[in-house]
Amino acid sequence: MTKIKIAIAGIGNCASSLIQGIEYYKTEDKDPIGLMHMDIGGYRPGDIKVVAAFDIDARKVGKDVSEAIFAPPNCTAVFCPDVPLTGVKVNMGRVLDGVSDHMKNYGENYTFVVSKEPEAAKADIVKELKDSGADMLLNYLPVGSEEAVRFYAGCALEAGVAFINNMPVFIASNPEWAKRFEEKNIPIIGDDIKAQLGATITHRVLADLFEKRGVRLDRTYQLNTGGNTDFLNMLNRSRLASKRESKTEAVQSVLSQKLEDENIHIGPSDYVAWQKDNKVCFLRMEGRLFGDVPMNIELRLSVEDSPNSAGVVIDAIRCCKLALDRGIGGVLYSPASYFMKHPAVQYPDDEAYRRTEEFIAGTRER
């Protein structure tokens, strides 16, 4: 099999976990703990290769990707410290709305330090994508970076490379953007990665359980805290609209009767610096069972946030490559429904899983 050549916009904690994971699972006899699939269409994790990278932080720009993934403010778990040099330097990207003003009030170890290197023009990004031979571009920009995400999605279209949108700016689920990718026969998976076993998937499964067991869900909340740059960035509530919509819709979509707005609250709640990349979710669900008798569930979930996302992205990459190999463009509805919080079409998780397996097997086109 040929290598899967990826470009990455945003070399933060999530990119760090992904790149560590590619190296970690290279060994043929490695126990596939933490992988949903060791093999997808003949592609294994070790077949993924980073060929281009973009960031705006002075501590990452100009460095080899293998060094940049461990540079501040990254704070995720280091489970594969010996990532070899890739020979790929991190290029200066475009800032646009990628850095929230309030982050300037925090120390350099916690926030972004914008490089003094000249920002890249669209032509520079497109040229790098083409020259590197990238098959696809992965978007890992901060939540709320509406302009920046659209900029990089446009670069992917112009360069003719696939796009995986791992954060909640709606591209794949936006009909106009989806049409642009379909017209160029370029695959796209999005939007907003659904972690391997995180708050959203846990909440969805429990909400579905209520439905299937005949329990009426009356109200619920999901409160999340963390200490990485994502949570610091989200202290600016004006950047949270798409994130809240993505997470809330992911849960509402499995209910036969949607909850009123006042009865559902889902979203990031606070930044706790010492948590670093650990995310803690506090979940409460109140309902009524047989005889209208009330019941409730309270759950506390603690996960390392970025490896949790990488366990899904590593599959999304390989599914995207299968689409390229098969000449399939546009939104990959089945993988997106299983891997993303806000896909173009929402399916219950068991159906999304089945559709994704059929896509991998080649019995379902998209």
Side-chain angles (χ1 to χ4, degrees), residues 51-122:
V51 296
F54 308 94
D55 204 278
I56 55 85
D57 196 290
R59 295 158 294 185
K60 298 174 184 177
V61 173
K63 288 188 176 179
D64 189 277
V65 168
S66 63
E67 299 169 327
I69 60 173
F70 299 121
N74 290 6
C75 59
T76 192
V78 177
F79 58 89
C80 186
D82 300 319
V83 177
L85 291 172
T86 64
V88 177
K89 301 289 186 184
V90 178
N91 293 285
M92 180 63 182
R94 281 284 285 277
V95 178
L96 296 170
D97 56 351
V99 181
S100 179
D101 286 341
H102 80 282
M103 295 185 78
K104 297 173 184 175
N105 300 323
Y106 292 82
E108 292 185 355
N109 282 338
Y110 304 102
T111 187
F112 307 123
V113 178
V114 178
S115 172
K116 292 182 171 58
E117 291 289 321
E119 292 186 45
K122 186 174 187 179

Side-chain angles (χ1 to χ4, degrees), residues 145-349:
S145 306
E146 301 276 342
E147 292 178 54
V149 173
R150 288 192 287 267
F151 169 77
Y152 280 103
C155 290
L157 276 169
E158 193 166 322
V161 303
F163 192 63
I164 298 179
N165 183 31
N166 295 310
M167 46 82 67
V169 169
F170 303 142
I171 303 293
S173 57
N174 178 303
E176 293 180 9
W177 276 100
K179 185 179 179 182
R180 292 175 66 183
F181 277 87
E182 186 157 3
E183 286 174 346
K184 288 203 167 189
N185 201 39
I186 297 172
I188 177 170
I189 296 177
D191 301 305
D192 196 12
I193 198 71
K194 188 193 298 174
Q196 191 170 11
L197 213 164
T200 297
I201 186 64
T202 301
H203 207 162
R204 276 174 63 95
V205 168
L206 287 173
D208 186 53
L209 182 66
F210 272 58
E211 285 277 314
K212 288 177 176 173
R213 304 298 289 183
V215 180
R216 172 64 61 85
L217 179 62
D218 291 322
R219 60 189 65 88
T220 185
Y221 66 64
Q222 181 197 124
L223 309 177
N224 303 315
T225 67
N228 55 28
T229 49
D230 203 31
F231 277 89
L232 177 57
N233 172 60
M234 290 187 292
L235 287 180
N236 182 345
R237 300 303 184 189
S238 66
R239 299 174 69 91
L240 278 181
S242 60
K243 185 68 174 177
R244 287 197 186 282
E245 180 181 342
S246 176
K247 290 176 72 66
T248 302
E249 177 60 26
V251 175
Q252 291 273 40
S253 66
V254 301
L255 301 174
S256 58
Q257 183 176 332
K258 289 190 175 183
L259 296 173
E260 296 293 331
D261 290 346
E262 64 266 24
N263 290 326
I264 182 168
H265 179 88
I266 298 178
S269 300
D270 214 341
Y271 169 72
V272 183
W274 58 261
Q275 280 185 229
K276 296 187 178 179
D277 196 41
N278 180 252
K279 175 179 177 179
V280 176
C281 162
F282 300 93
L283 179 65
R284 181 176 173 87
M285 305 175 75
E286 298 181 0
R288 286 168 288 149
L289 37 73
F290 193 77
D292 261 1
V293 175
M295 56 79 64
N296 67 75
I297 290 175
E298 288 201 348
L299 177 149
R300 180 185 185 277
L301 172 68
S302 174
V303 290
E304 196 75 3
D305 207 19
S306 300
N308 209 7
S309 83
V312 177
V313 175
I314 206 163
D315 279 16
I317 290 168
R318 291 179 287 170
C319 284
C320 200
K321 177 60 173 170
L322 289 184
L324 288 167
D325 291 346
R326 297 168 182 169
I328 299 168
V331 177
L332 303 184
Y333 295 102
S334 297
S337 70
Y338 194 53
F339 300 145
M340 300 287 166
K341 295 188 187 79
H342 198 273
V345 181
Q346 288 273 15
Y347 297 108
D349 291 292

